[in-house]
Amino acid sequence: MSHQSGITASEELASFFADSKDGNVRFMKVSISEEKLILAASAEVVGSWEDDILLLDSKSSGRYDWLFIGYSPDNSHVRQKMLYASTRYTAKKVFGDNHIKQELFGTVPGDVSLAGFRKHLESASAPPPLTMAEVEAQEVKKNEVGVDISVDTRQSSMKSVFFPFNPDALDKMQEFKDGNINYLQLGVDIANEKITLEDNDNISIGQLPNKVPTTRASYHLFNYKHIFEDNEEEAIIFIYSVPATKSPIKEKMLYSTCKTPVTQTAEEQFKINISRKLEVDDASELTEELIMKEIHPVKIEQRKVFAKPQGPNARRGQRRITKN
């Protein structure tokens, strides 16, 4: 379920919406100002819908059909993107969902042009290239966040946000891949929208909890070399740590949405094979015992079903009928 921002429409906008459905208004622009949805611009019908775009010339049940456009440039601040995304439902509801025939979203002007709209219609009418099973498998993989080991863990339904890595963070990621270091800590520079290097070291499993900050969220990569069943093994653990009470809500949201891109960079760009992805809100949870259980879960043997022996009748021939 998507999160709502709590922003409502101004009285002026609600009134304009009510008067705009008679076919005389072709275009209206809605913005957010001072925690309200406001009317930023509008235009009357001049030519055909291809010339004006937004209000379609077609009708459904006697009502004019409308095109709803959501525009979020790539260079917008993350907070603005999230704010407009979480207010979209409110804008559609106030206007009237039943009047909206099509929806179009874009990040560059070409996406929301007439050519972009036609491309959207072609894409919507094209047959799906994947089977339903393949689509479901992709959705499961896309939403997979790893293993959660905290009872207070919450899953986020927000889409991922890709922030670029600082050069020193990428350099240390390569050193981690090469085995020069076994521990790497990354963070998010919210002001500059960057993934930053916070710490790197060679540590033991016992030192890991002391590396986790207690007042802010953080990402960790740890190469755990250990002995299991008399064999030397190593397992790379990705840890997303977010203190339950001390992290601001905005920080939690950004770290949650940047988490998947960070692991994708490690796995796809640097070919780092992550064995387990953990999410914790308390560093004390990162004990050697727990990590061993996550890496090598206890195998539960299937109970053998007891085969009941055949009774003596099964070894006999046909039943004989005797008469006294």
Side-chain angles (χ1 to χ4, degrees):
M1 187 173 71
S2 61
H3 299 284
Q4 299 302 314
S5 64
I7 291 175
T8 58
S10 66
E11 293 183 5
E12 178 192 3
L13 178 63
S15 176
F16 186 84
F17 276 172
D19 298 335
S20 64
K21 302 182 180 73
D22 57 2
N24 293 323
V25 176
R26 178 69 81 184
F27 164 84
M28 64 186 77
K29 177 182 176 182
V30 178
S31 300
I32 297 175
S33 177
E34 297 180 356
E35 304 299 322
K36 290 282 186 180
L37 284 170
I38 64 167
L39 178 66
S42 65
E44 295 183 352
V45 172
V46 176
S48 66
W49 73 268
E50 288 95 343
D51 297 325
D52 299 340
I53 218 169
L54 205 63
L55 169 64
L56 308 179
D57 290 334
S58 59
K59 289 186 177 181
S60 298
S61 303
R63 298 185 301 263
Y64 281 99
D65 296 325
W66 284 82
L67 168 64
F68 181 91
I69 298 177
Y71 183 57
S72 181
D74 286 329
N75 58 358
S76 298
H77 287 294
V78 174
R79 183 180 182 278
Q80 268 197 324
K81 291 180 181 179
M82 293 190 296
L83 188 62
Y84 273 84
S86 60
T87 312
R88 184 169 63 236
Y89 173 78
T90 301
K92 290 164 55 181
K93 184 178 180 182
V94 174
F95 180 76
D97 298 57
N98 55 338
H99 294 277
I100 298 173
K101 184 72 171 181
Q102 296 285 346
E103 294 188 36
L104 183 64
F105 304 97
T107 58
V108 295
D111 293 339
V112 294
S113 64
L114 178 59
F117 179 55
R118 286 175 171 161
K119 185 177 181 181
H120 161 75
L121 293 178
E122 291 176 3
S123 177
S125 61
L130 301 176
T131 65
M132 185 59 68
E134 289 170 332
V135 171
E136 291 177 355
Q138 279 193 350
E139 287 298 315
V140 170
K141 184 177 180 180
K142 182 169 63 177
N143 294 323
E144 185 179 1
V145 295
V147 181
D148 299 325
I149 63 174
S150 169
V151 295
D152 293 323
T153 295
R154 294 176 175 83
Q155 299 294 340
S156 170
S157 62
M158 299 186 65
K159 294 182 179 179
S160 298
V161 176
F162 288 78
F163 283 170
F165 280 64
N166 277 346
D168 58 347
L170 294 175
D171 291 342
K172 291 301 178 181
M173 186 83 78
Q174 184 62 53
E175 288 192 32
F176 182 89
K177 165 66 177 177
D178 296 339
N180 297 329
I181 54 176
N182 72 348
Y183 171 77
L184 183 63
Q185 181 184 144
L186 302 172
V188 177
D189 183 346
I190 298 175
N192 297 311
E193 299 182 355
K194 299 277 189 179
I195 302 299
T196 59
L197 174 67
E198 299 297 328
D199 193 6
N200 65 98
D201 205 346
N202 281 293
I203 62 172
S204 65
I205 183 68
Q207 295 173 301
L208 180 59
N210 296 329
K211 288 286 189 179
V212 179
T214 59
T215 58
R216 60 175 176 81
S218 52
Y219 306 122
H220 309 262
L221 280 169
F222 177 59
N223 189 354
Y224 179 37
K225 297 180 180 180
H226 58 283
I227 303 295
F228 179 71
E229 295 182 348
D230 298 328
N231 295 317
E232 292 186 0
E233 298 191 11
E234 60 181 65
I236 295 175
I237 314 296
F238 174 82
I239 302 164
Y240 166 43
S241 171
V242 52
T245 57
K246 296 182 180 180
S247 293
I249 294 177
K250 180 179 179 181
E251 179 182 282
K252 289 180 180 179
M253 293 173 64
L254 277 177
Y255 270 83
S256 178
T257 53
C258 290
K259 175 176 53 180
T260 299
V262 168
T263 58
Q264 286 179 346
T265 298
E267 292 176 317
E268 297 175 10
Q269 182 174 340
F270 290 91
K271 308 302 179 185
I272 295 173
N273 183 22
I274 298 177
S275 302
R276 281 291 182 273
K277 299 172 185 177
L278 311 180
E279 184 172 331
V280 298
D281 58 17
D282 187 347
S284 63
E285 298 177 63
L286 297 172
T287 63
E288 182 174 12
E289 178 183 4
L290 184 140
I291 289 179
M292 283 294 288
K293 286 181 180 179
E294 293 294 335
I295 300 171
H296 306 290
V298 178
K299 296 180 181 178
I300 302 176
E301 295 184 1
Q302 275 191 327
R303 183 181 296 178
K304 293 182 179 180
V305 179
F306 176 71
K308 184 179 179 181
Q310 292 181 329
N313 289 336
R315 294 190 294 271
R316 295 177 180 175
Q318 293 183 346
R319 179 175 294 179
R320 297 180 179 84
I321 300 175
T322 59
K323 295 182 179 179
N324 292 330

